[in-house]
Amino acid sequence: MSLTYDRIIELADGLGIDVVELFAQDAMPLTSCGVSVTTFGDAPEVRNDHYTYGMANAEITHKQMTPMFGRIRAHSIDEFEELIRHPGEEYTIVLEGSIEVHIEGRELQVLHRHDSIYFDSSFGHAYVSVSESDALVMCVCWRRPSSST
């Protein structure tokens, strides 16, 4: 099974835990720590066939947003068996390289360094690097908190 963001969310929901508890043993609410800093390269990573996710600020539970560094390793949409979809909204900004953003039913978007996109993440979507090397993005996902968290 490829561990994509939508599957990470499903796993956390199935276990009845906050998603960050999968990445940080000493996670605590923001109200307890007040500030969280993640140094680039120090975020706990999840790797699948298409992306490497660095789960930024993983030590904070019950966040309203899930920030992630993303290394886009896919270089063709044909690498995806299916598009990724999850409840909520998604904001992505390109830090290095260029990407195609495929969103079902929408026009293909090509983003370059410092370009960004915001969309309803319940639509199937995928990021593809169109650079010679992998692209680097910062992605922030939001979903309405469940009543159990």
Side-chain angles (χ1 to χ4, degrees), residues 18 20 24 27-31 33 35-36 57-63:
D18 189 282
V20 301
M28 65 180 81
L30 183 61
T31 54
C33 62
V35 174
S36 170
N57 311 98
E59 71 278 3
I60 300 176
T61 62
H62 302 87
K63 292 189 294 283

Side-chain angles (χ1 to χ4, degrees), residues 77 82-86 101-109 117 119-127:
I77 191 63
E82 61 184 357
L83 297 176
I84 298 164
R85 66 181 75 244
H86 49 89
V101 183
H102 298 260
I103 302 174
E104 88 185 330
R106 301 296 189 267
E107 183 178 328
L108 175 68
Q109 300 295 318
I117 190 167
F119 60 94
D120 178 340
S121 53
S122 67
F123 289 103
H125 58 280
Y127 300 117

Side-chain angles (χ1 to χ4, degrees), residues 24-45:
Q25 294 178 5
D26 299 327
M28 65 180 81
L30 183 61
T31 54
S32 298
C33 62
V35 174
S36 170
V37 174
T38 299
T39 303
F40 182 75
D42 288 342
E45 287 188 346

Side-chain angles (χ1 to χ4, degrees), residues 11 18 35 41 56 73 86 92 96-97 99 102 106 128 137 143:
L11 177 62
D18 189 282
V35 174
R73 296 190 335 273
H86 49 89
T92 298
E96 293 177 7
I99 63 172
H102 298 260
R106 301 296 189 267
V128 173
V137 300
R143 69 182 187 128

Side-chain angles (χ1 to χ4, degrees), residues 4-70:
T4 55
Y5 180 74
D6 54 338
R7 292 200 172 105
I8 292 169
I9 295 297
E10 288 175 13
L11 177 62
D13 287 349
L15 294 171
I17 62 174
D18 189 282
V19 70
V20 301
E21 293 178 72
L22 295 171
F23 304 99
Q25 294 178 5
D26 299 327
M28 65 180 81
L30 183 61
T31 54
S32 298
C33 62
V35 174
S36 170
V37 174
T38 299
T39 303
F40 182 75
D42 288 342
E45 287 188 346
V46 176
R47 185 180 175 109
N48 65 34
D49 294 338
H50 311 107
Y51 312 124
T52 299
Y53 301 106
M55 305 303 287
N57 311 98
E59 71 278 3
I60 300 176
T61 62
H62 302 87
K63 292 189 294 283
Q64 300 299 304
M65 300 176 285
T66 302
M68 298 173 281
F69 295 104

